Amino acid sequence: TLADGGHKEVVLIGINLTAFGDGDGCDIADAVEAASSIHGIERVRLGSLEPDMMTDKIIEKLAKIDKLCPQFHLSLQSGCDNTLKLMNRHYDTEFYRNIVKKLRTEFEYCSITTDIMVGFAGESDTDFKKSCEFVKEIGFAKVNVFPYSRRKGTVADTYTNHINEQTKRERTKIMLEVADLTQQEFLKSRVGLTFPVLFESRNRDGLIEGYTPDYTLVKADAPDSICGQIIDVTLNEICKDGFLATIDK
């Protein structure tokens, strides 16, 4: 139905997307293959992924699907093993690092995006610094940063070593600066390269926006007629959060 309506890209989402097919003899790669088989669908993108279920086998299967966009939003939450343990996350930084390495080996021009929480209960200054350093090391294309907030009924709410709001604000600011640094480095790595861009809609500044397969934002001063089209664009001029492009009118 989406393809018949002119949509060229679909995004698969779920509460735990990587658990798709668990117990049924299939996995998320099978879902991507099914979506890719639809005539008219040119791109399939994955939503947020839990890293502990991204096995080598699944990554290798995904790499064989031409229509899959090589952008992976791997939930991290913290770049410190101590904090990850407190969060009861089922992976550590070494496990995460190896997944990223595997993805970058299997996918050319792969981008990794994530979510980072700061100020979790018990996060020391040293823990926070380790988290910042890990974000720098991985070199994320984009990081969503947010401070921890207490939720009644959770295990973390019962902890006694909560971080004060001022410290959480300060850490959020610092982590945002780190995230901006890694994003800018990522954008610099794309300068001069040509990618297909699916242009989608006009933004408030009057420019048409779209995305490369690795989810790099591209803006262009162009007519509405390019919306819904996939056009090859050379990325030359970096703007705040992506690239400005010139489209032959």
Side-chain angles (χ1 to χ4, degrees), residues 53-61 98-99 102 106:
M53 300 188 73
M54 288 291 285
T55 65
D56 285 356
K57 180 182 177 180
I58 288 177
I59 293 173
E60 289 165 7
K61 285 178 66 175
N98 287 334
I99 292 176
K102 179 70 173 178
E106 295 290 339

Side-chain angles (χ1 to χ4, degrees), residues 197 199 218-223 226 231-234 245-249:
V197 176
F199 286 97
V218 177
K219 307 175 186 180
D221 182 8
I226 74 166
I231 301 172
D232 285 343
V233 170
T234 300
T246 300
I247 307 295
D248 293 334
K249 299 181 180 180

Side-chain angles (χ1 to χ4, degrees), residues 16-221:
N16 189 343
L17 192 59
T18 42
F20 178 86
D22 187 27
D24 294 325
C26 57
D27 54 45
I28 186 59
D30 296 308
V32 175
E33 288 177 349
S36 298
S37 70
I38 304 300
H39 178 72
I41 298 299
E42 301 296 330
R43 292 180 172 183
V44 179
R45 196 180 295 280
L46 294 172
S48 183
L49 302 167
E50 290 296 326
D52 55 306
M53 300 188 73
M54 288 291 285
T55 65
D56 285 356
K57 180 182 177 180
I58 288 177
I59 293 173
E60 289 165 7
K61 285 178 66 175
L62 290 172
K64 296 176 182 178
I65 306 173
D66 292 337
K67 291 183 179 180
L68 177 64
C69 292
Q71 177 244 336
F72 300 93
H73 190 86
L74 289 173
S75 179
L76 177 59
Q77 303 302 326
S78 174
C80 171
D81 288 337
N82 182 54
T83 305
L84 288 173
K85 187 175 181 180
L86 288 172
M87 290 176 171
N88 196 30
R89 307 298 290 187
H90 299 158
Y91 54 85
D92 58 17
T93 53
E94 181 63 17
F95 185 88
Y96 192 99
R97 182 185 291 111
N98 287 334
I99 292 176
V100 171
K101 182 179 179 180
K102 179 70 173 178
L103 287 169
R104 286 174 170 162
T105 298
E106 295 290 339
F107 292 88
E108 186 178 21
Y109 301 123
C110 169
S111 68
I112 309 295
T113 59
T114 198
D115 303 307
I116 290 286
M117 181 188 296
V118 301
F120 188 76
E123 182 187 63
S124 67
D125 289 341
T126 299
D127 293 337
F128 174 68
K129 289 177 182 178
K130 286 181 179 179
S131 191
C132 289
E133 290 302 315
F134 190 73
V135 170
K136 292 177 185 177
E137 176 195 336
I138 296 299
F140 293 101
K142 186 175 181 180
V143 181
N144 299 319
V145 181
F146 56 99
Y148 166 74
S149 58
R150 298 178 69 165
R151 293 290 185 271
K152 290 183 178 180
T154 62
V155 173
D157 187 52
T158 66
Y159 294 171
T160 59
N161 50 354
H162 286 274
I163 310 300
N164 64 69
E165 294 303 315
Q166 177 62 31
T167 299
K168 285 194 283 188
R169 284 192 294 269
E170 292 171 355
R171 290 181 182 177
T172 299
K173 181 177 182 295
I174 293 171
M175 187 62 81
L176 283 170
E177 291 171 350
V178 172
D180 182 65
L181 175 65
T182 65
Q183 183 181 36
Q184 292 305 309
E185 290 300 315
F186 170 80
L187 294 176
K188 290 176 184 177
S189 74
R190 295 313 195 241
V191 171
L193 300 178
T194 299
F195 292 98
V197 176
L198 174 56
F199 286 97
E200 299 177 4
S201 59
R202 191 174 296 280
N203 65 21
R204 288 181 293 182
D205 296 325
L207 301 176
I208 303 292
E209 291 186 348
Y211 292 89
T212 64
D214 67 6
Y215 209 61
T216 300
L217 176 65
V218 177
K219 307 175 186 180
D221 182 8

